[in-house]
Amino acid sequence: MHQVPTPLPDEHAVSIIYRWFQMTRFETLESFIQVNGCSSKLNSPRRLWCPLYSELAHALLSKYSLADFISKFTNIHDYSLFLDESAFQGLSIETILKKLSTFKFSNALNVLQDKYWRYCPECANEDEQKYGTTYLHVEHQCLYKRVCNKHSVLLEELASCHVSLPPSNNLSILASQSDIEKDVALLGWVSELTDTPPEERKLRVLNLLRQKACVYSYDRKNPYQVQRVQYMQNILAKRFNSSVYKRYFDWGKLTSGHYPLNSSGGLMHFLEPEKHFHPMFYLMLIDLFLTRDEFNLSLEFLLNTSNIRREIPPVVLPLDIRELVKASAA
Amino acid sequence: MKVTRTKANYKAQALSKYQGNPLVEALPSSLTESEFTELMYVFKHFPDCFNALSRIDVNDCLDDLKLVHIPTKEAYQLYENVYAQMRKCYVKRNPLDADTRRLANSISTRLKANCKFDVEQPCEHVATAPSILVSGKAGIGKTVLIRRILSTFPQVIKHTEYRGQVFETQQVVWMSFDMQASRSRKALAHNFFNELERVVGCEIKGDFVKSRDSIDQLFHAMQTAAVVYNIGLIHIDEAQFVLNPSSNFKDAPTLPEIETLFNKIGVPVIISTTDDALATFKSTENEALTKATKLQTVRRLNSVAHIKIKQWHADTSKFDEFFSAYFQPSIFENSEVNSNEFKLQLLVLCAGVTDAISVLSIAFIRNYHSLSEKGKKLDCLKLLKQVYQTRMEIWHAPLSKLRKDYNVLSPKKKANRSTDSNMNVAQLYSEAEAFTPKPARKRTSEHHLKPAQSVERINEGDEMIDADSIVASYENE
């Protein structure tokens, strides 16, 4: 068995693999990965599973089961928040991991997403002092985080589509109160969703969003529905474009009337349960349009999975068209 | 040599500097001199039914005698040095320390950056590790002694968890490889990686070495592998090939290079060599041959200890033990073999060299047993000389050379000996030399310092002489 580096506290699997690569003769990480029989790239945190992780998990098997390894050294649980796990039922863990290694979220926004590995400059300095090396933390790769919990500074990103160890002498930027509050709000949502059965999370959320938009089955001949959806798209584009998360995800500018919002069905397309978009996309929709009380209220009703368009009775008040006009104009 | 692998069993350390270091805590507890000596002894007792055994079985039992080992006082000195240095150097390479990671990073950066391997360039954060020099005549048992001592340590310790934290790593406690097979720098590197692969039990060479790597890269790769696999100590055998390089041996690694390779990253080295190679440092030959100043080389050679393995001498309790292990009372009770004269003759013939004594004794016992079975009355001294003449023909020249500087009597006890016994000893020497054939022609340039390649080695090959032919010739007398 190969000598893999001893994991440091909260170290991400990709960082352990990078340190392993560092101790070899290979000049690029890609060549190291290829020699180890894997073709996957480790270019961004949304790469859920790389076959090389399996070798790492095997090396650490004496202490961590595969499930423990996944939860301790990867962010799969963050990314699988809205994945319908029933798709994997009956499959062996090897098959699931193989599927995950080639898994790609639908690119509804037609822009590159989530392509930066993140680090906290303060943590990097401390790690260098304490452990003699910097490394990537699992916590910092959490898709909805942009503030380091420990130092309350903004997370920085490594070069696009590239994994390496963080530099140790970068200056940090103190997070504003709103940044911190945003992280806390999203964390609250994630905790709420995590307590919900995995197969219900997405269905409940999408159902509530449809209730909010007051469109259950979109009819392009109904001018009322068309206008509502267009207002919703405007708000969506505006919020996305001014989002603090944009820098981590490199979304292009959303413009109502332009792709992917070039048709009035654009929003409806996002709300299809069969589609798997990036989880941050759903979290942002939730954060934009729902409240925790509304979600909690919906939990009091059992989900009718026979009709996913009308699973739960309406518990959310639809957005008033006048509010939409006002919000859209703001 | 079989690789011993154990799981890490951490032991509390009395000294605070050794606490919290999994590599030190996983080492076996140090042995006291008596425990160590008991562990080192190897006897091969003949079975009670030895005389009733078939010829093949008898030969088998006699072959086992090659494994007999009697530890001398130097053995524990060496063990103490090995244990102390290994532990001391692991302190500087605690894998949980920031400095060790920095060291590993800086070495691997040089590996990736195709940097030149500079023997003068210091390695960050780790002080130079020591060297232990072990010297002695060829065939005296240096290699066996060192490897037996190293075998008191597991070769690989497998760590999985330390103080509740995952610590999945392999600790290669020691490695031993031969410079005779490493006649060039590249051969040395490949020899090192082949041995490391054998020890860790998987293919790892590809992680550190590319097919067209330069010497510099290979040396950086060896350093990186030594740090990654937590190598505790390296034994370099037959070091005369680097201490005394010849003009035909230009690409041989030099001692400063080897020292930089391992010592500068904190891996102690045991260098074992023949006495002949050390003679280089006494000569006034051009220093350019050794590619370093002599003082520099000598200082590096034995920064901790120089342990000389001596030839066997008569009248020492250790030799009596060694002798009894071969000439066992079950066969040789009340035999002439137990006489002082026989022991002296054996020692003189073999110049006190362990391997020679072993080969001659086994050949003698085989003949003795064969003739005894036929009911012959034996003159043991005569038989010994005859066996020597037949079996040790190719050994004779190097042994004869050694005999010139060898005193069979223990230097400490020599003063107490009578003139008569000294005269008898002199006679034994001249009898031993009686087998020397007259030289065909006079050799020239006797004073010339011989290169490493021509340093004479005693052939340690298998028995080649048919025992029957010796028996037959004895019967004709």
Side-chain angles (χ1 to χ4, degrees):
Chain A
M1 189 181 294
H2 289 270
Q3 190 97 319
V4 300
T6 302
L8 296 167
D10 189 44
E11 188 172 15
H12 196 283
V14 77
S15 178
I16 304 172
I17 284 178
Y18 192 86
R19 292 199 294 120
W20 179 9
F21 148 74
Q22 264 192 325
M23 290 295 120
T24 65
R25 178 74 183 84
F26 297 97
E27 278 150 25
T28 62
L29 183 61
E30 288 70 27
S31 56
F32 172 69
I33 291 171
Q34 268 178 7
V35 165
N36 283 282
C38 315
S39 55
S40 300
K41 291 178 180 171
L42 290 167
N43 52 4
S44 81
R46 69 176 165 154
R47 171 70 63 188
L48 297 186
W49 188 261
C50 162
L52 201 54
Y53 289 172
S54 297
E55 197 159 333
L56 190 57
H58 182 68
L60 303 178
L61 203 59
S62 62
K63 175 79 176 168
Y64 301 107
S65 66
L66 189 58
D68 290 342
F69 175 86
I70 288 171
S71 71
K72 191 169 170 66
F73 297 103
T74 73
N75 289 92
I76 285 187
H77 289 311
D78 295 331
Y79 284 88
S80 63
L81 192 63
F82 296 104
L83 281 184
D84 184 3
E85 292 181 10
S86 63
F88 301 125
Q89 270 174 11
L91 298 176
S92 67
I93 186 75
E94 287 78 16
T95 317
I96 293 172
L97 294 177
K98 202 174 171 184
K99 274 191 159 194
L100 283 179
S101 67
T102 54
F103 181 84
K104 282 183 181 169
F105 293 111
S106 301
N107 196 359
L109 299 176
N110 195 32
V111 286
L112 290 170
Q113 302 167 1
D114 194 6
K115 60 182 184 180
Y116 300 106
W117 292 97
R118 298 170 214 166
Y119 70 95
C120 161
E122 295 296 323
C123 288
N125 288 336
E126 283 181 10
D127 294 340
E128 218 295 318
Q129 293 287 317
K130 193 171 176 186
Y131 302 110
T133 179
T134 60
Y135 60 94
L136 294 168
H137 288 245
V138 175
E139 194 192 344
H140 297 159
Q141 312 317 319
C142 191
L143 59 100
Y144 47 85
K145 270 186 180 294
R146 73 182 297 255
V147 177
C148 171
N149 279 355
K150 190 176 172 189
H151 299 101
S152 298
V153 297
L154 290 179
L155 297 177
E156 297 291 325
E157 64 256 16
L158 294 174
S160 166
C161 294
H162 173 74
V163 59
S164 67
L165 298 186
S168 61
N169 46 6
N170 269 17
L171 292 175
S172 56
I173 303 167
L174 209 60
S176 68
Q177 193 55 35
S178 66
D179 291 326
I180 296 169
E181 283 169 4
K182 186 62 84 182
D183 267 25
V184 171
L186 290 181
L187 181 63
W189 271 113
V190 171
S191 314
E192 200 85 63
L193 288 161
T194 312
D195 292 340
T196 314
E199 65 279 8
E200 290 185 15
R201 289 173 198 160
K202 193 161 151 192
L203 292 178
R204 282 187 185 278
V205 165
L206 295 182
N207 191 249
L208 291 178
L209 285 169
R210 278 191 218 98
Q211 288 182 18
K212 200 76 174 179
C214 198
V215 277
Y216 294 101
S217 56
Y218 179 67
D219 178 4
R220 66 173 70 176
K221 289 177 183 166
N222 182 338
Y224 174 75
Q225 281 193 4
V226 170
Q227 195 179 16
R228 277 192 76 84
V229 168
Q230 278 177 346
Y231 280 130
M232 291 285 281
Q233 283 178 337
N234 283 344
I235 297 169
L236 184 69
K238 196 174 282 180
R239 297 274 181 94
F240 266 47
N241 294 339
S242 60
S243 164
V244 290
Y245 297 97
K246 208 180 135 205
R247 59 187 289 218
Y248 294 147
F249 296 95
D250 204 23
W251 273 311
K253 202 169 181 182
L254 278 179
T255 312
S256 182
H258 289 85
Y259 186 86
L261 305 180
N262 56 347
S263 73
S264 28
L267 179 64
M268 294 311 296
H269 178 65
F270 292 152
L271 303 182
E272 292 287 337
E274 296 82 8
K275 298 272 182 189
H276 297 298
F277 296 116
H278 193 284
M280 190 62 198
F281 173 71
Y282 294 114
L283 276 179
M284 288 178 75
L285 283 178
I286 293 169
D287 191 43
L288 284 173
F289 297 109
L290 297 179
T291 65
R292 299 269 289 279
D293 290 342
E294 289 168 334
F295 186 75
N296 286 336
L297 194 59
S298 82
L299 294 175
E300 290 178 14
F301 299 93
L302 281 176
L303 205 63
N304 175 10
T305 47
S306 60
N307 181 358
I308 56 170
R309 308 276 171 208
R310 283 184 182 277
E311 312 87 343
I312 45 176
V315 293
V316 178
L317 281 177
L319 283 169
D320 189 325
I321 190 79
R322 281 166 299 185
E323 275 181 53
L324 285 175
V325 174
K326 203 170 145 189
S328 178
Chain B
M1 202 170 171
K2 200 180 166 194
V3 179
T4 48
R5 295 187 177 88
T6 56
K7 284 190 174 178
N9 176 19
Y10 303 109
K11 293 173 194 72
Q13 298 292 307
L15 298 177
S16 61
K17 64 180 173 179
Y18 297 127
Q19 291 162 4
N21 185 327
L23 303 184
V24 174
E25 290 185 11
L27 289 176
S29 305
S30 60
L31 301 167
T32 62
E33 189 163 2
S34 57
E35 286 169 340
F36 171 80
T37 310
E38 196 178 326
L39 203 65
M40 293 290 280
Y41 271 111
V42 180
F43 291 108
K44 292 287 171 185
H45 295 293
F46 296 143
D48 292 339
C49 57
F50 183 79
N51 288 327
L53 291 176
S54 70
R55 192 167 173 149
I56 289 181
D57 289 340
V58 166
N59 285 346
D60 210 277
C61 292
L62 292 177
D63 254 9
D64 287 348
L65 288 178
K66 287 178 186 166
L67 304 173
V68 163
H69 186 81
I70 307 295
T72 53
K73 64 174 183 181
E74 293 91 3
Y76 192 67
Q77 283 175 6
L78 184 56
Y79 170 79
E80 274 184 324
N81 275 299
V82 165
Y83 194 93
Q85 295 313 319
M86 201 186 278
R87 198 165 66 154
K88 209 178 273 184
C89 291
Y90 269 141
V91 166
K92 294 169 192 161
R93 295 191 291 130
N94 185 347
L96 305 179
D97 271 2
D99 282 348
T100 308
R101 285 196 196 90
R102 287 192 192 104
L103 166 75
N105 280 342
S106 60
I107 295 168
S108 64
T109 305
R110 283 202 277 270
L111 171 66
K112 285 184 200 294
N114 293 325
C115 289
K116 194 158 173 55
F117 186 82
D118 184 355
V119 293
E120 295 303 322
Q121 186 176 359
C123 249
E124 297 78 356
H125 316 297
V126 176
T128 303
S131 311
I132 301 165
L133 176 65
V134 178
S135 68
K137 303 293 180 202
I140 202 72
K142 300 179 292 296
T143 307
V144 171
L145 172 68
I146 293 168
R147 291 190 178 159
R148 285 199 70 81
I149 289 171
L150 293 177
S151 300
T152 61
F153 300 87
Q155 198 164 6
V156 179
I157 299 175
K158 178 96 178 68
H159 299 258
T160 51
E161 194 178 334
Y162 179 68
R163 296 188 174 179
Q165 299 296 313
V166 63
F167 181 59
E168 195 68 48
T169 198
Q170 290 188 83
Q171 175 183 1
V172 176
V173 180
W174 58 271
M175 266 176 66
S176 173
F177 64 93
D178 198 334
M179 285 307 299
Q180 195 171 9
S182 309
R183 286 165 181 259
S184 71
R185 290 168 166 85
K186 278 202 172 179
L188 168 73
H190 289 290
N191 214 5
F192 170 86
F193 279 109
N194 292 341
E195 178 62 9
L196 187 58
E197 279 190 341
R198 190 187 71 84
V199 170
V200 299
C202 72
E203 288 183 13
I204 48 127
K205 207 178 193 176
D207 284 356
F208 301 100
V209 176
K210 276 189 193 170
S211 57
R212 290 186 181 177
D213 270 344
S214 65
I215 299 293
D216 296 303
Q217 293 324 104
L218 289 171
F219 279 7
H220 285 308
M222 285 165 77
Q223 281 193 327
T224 310
V227 172
V228 169
Y229 283 92
N230 305 303
I231 296 177
L233 182 136
I234 288 176
H235 168 219
I236 297 168
D237 202 12
E238 310 284 12
Q240 61 270 23
F241 288 96
V242 287
L243 293 172
N244 198 4
S246 73
S247 53
N248 297 330
F249 200 34
K250 278 178 185 164
D251 194 34
T254 62
L255 188 76
E257 276 172 338
I258 291 176
E259 193 245 10
T260 310
L261 259 178
F262 304 118
N263 289 21
K264 289 276 173 86
I265 53 167
V267 181
V269 179
I270 302 181
I271 295 169
S272 57
T273 181
T274 56
D275 286 340
D276 303 353
L278 296 180
T280 314
F281 302 110
K282 293 176 189 165
S283 79
T284 53
E285 204 201 0
N286 184 0
E287 290 188 339
L289 259 184
T290 55
K291 302 178 192 172
T293 67
K294 282 181 179 154
L295 182 62
Q296 200 179 15
T297 311
V298 168
R299 183 185 61 78
R300 283 167 162 159
L301 256 178
N302 60 350
S303 61
V304 166
H306 178 188
I307 292 168
K308 293 176 188 171
I309 312 292
K310 297 188 187 95
Q311 289 144 286
W312 295 100
H313 294 283
D315 288 347
T316 57
S317 59
K318 289 290 177 187
F319 176 69
D320 287 343
E321 286 178 42
F322 186 66
F323 185 85
S324 310
Y326 278 85
F327 298 91
Q328 295 176 19
S330 59
I331 303 174
F332 294 102
E333 202 168 14
N334 302 323
S335 162
E336 194 193 338
V337 158
N338 295 313
S339 68
N340 264 345
E341 200 180 358
F342 184 87
K343 289 180 187 174
L344 285 170
Q345 184 70 78
L346 177 70
L347 279 170
V348 170
L349 285 171
C350 299
V353 171
T354 315
D355 282 356
I357 296 173
S358 174
V359 170
L360 181 58
S361 301
I362 290 171
F364 173 84
I365 299 167
R366 184 176 293 146
N367 284 282
Y368 179 92
H369 181 259
S370 184
L371 292 167
S372 302
E373 269 190 334
K374 292 177 183 171
K376 301 280 178 190
K377 188 165 170 28
L378 301 168
D379 178 347
C380 292
L381 268 175
K382 198 173 177 183
L383 177 63
L384 180 70
K385 284 178 230 166
Q386 207 155 11
V387 172
Y388 175 83
Q389 194 174 6
T390 320
R391 174 66 182 91
M392 310 291 278
E393 192 182 350
I394 49 173
W395 291 65
H396 181 69
L399 285 177
S400 179
K401 194 178 165 191
L402 286 180
R403 218 173 277 131
K404 284 176 192 161
D405 302 321
Y406 170 65
N407 195 332
V408 68
L409 301 174
S410 173
K412 287 177 190 167
K413 296 185 181 176
K414 195 182 169 187
N416 304 330
R417 292 202 164 263
S418 64
T419 320
D420 283 352
S421 64
N422 283 340
M423 278 174 66
N424 287 340
V425 168
Q427 196 184 344
L428 294 175
Y429 272 82
S430 40
E431 281 177 20
E433 289 309 317
F435 306 118
T436 309
K438 300 233 165 147
R441 59 177 181 174
K442 202 179 171 188
R443 291 185 66 173
T444 54
S445 58
E446 195 64 40
H447 63 282
H448 179 71
L449 182 72
K450 290 182 180 176
Q453 268 181 320
S454 64
V455 172
E456 291 183 60
R457 300 271 314 151
I458 292 172
N459 186 353
E460 295 165 17
D462 293 325
E463 292 243 0
M464 299 186 314
I465 311 295
D466 176 11
D468 269 353
S469 65
I470 302 168
V471 174
S473 65
Y474 184 82
E475 281 173 333
N476 293 336
E477 289 292 314

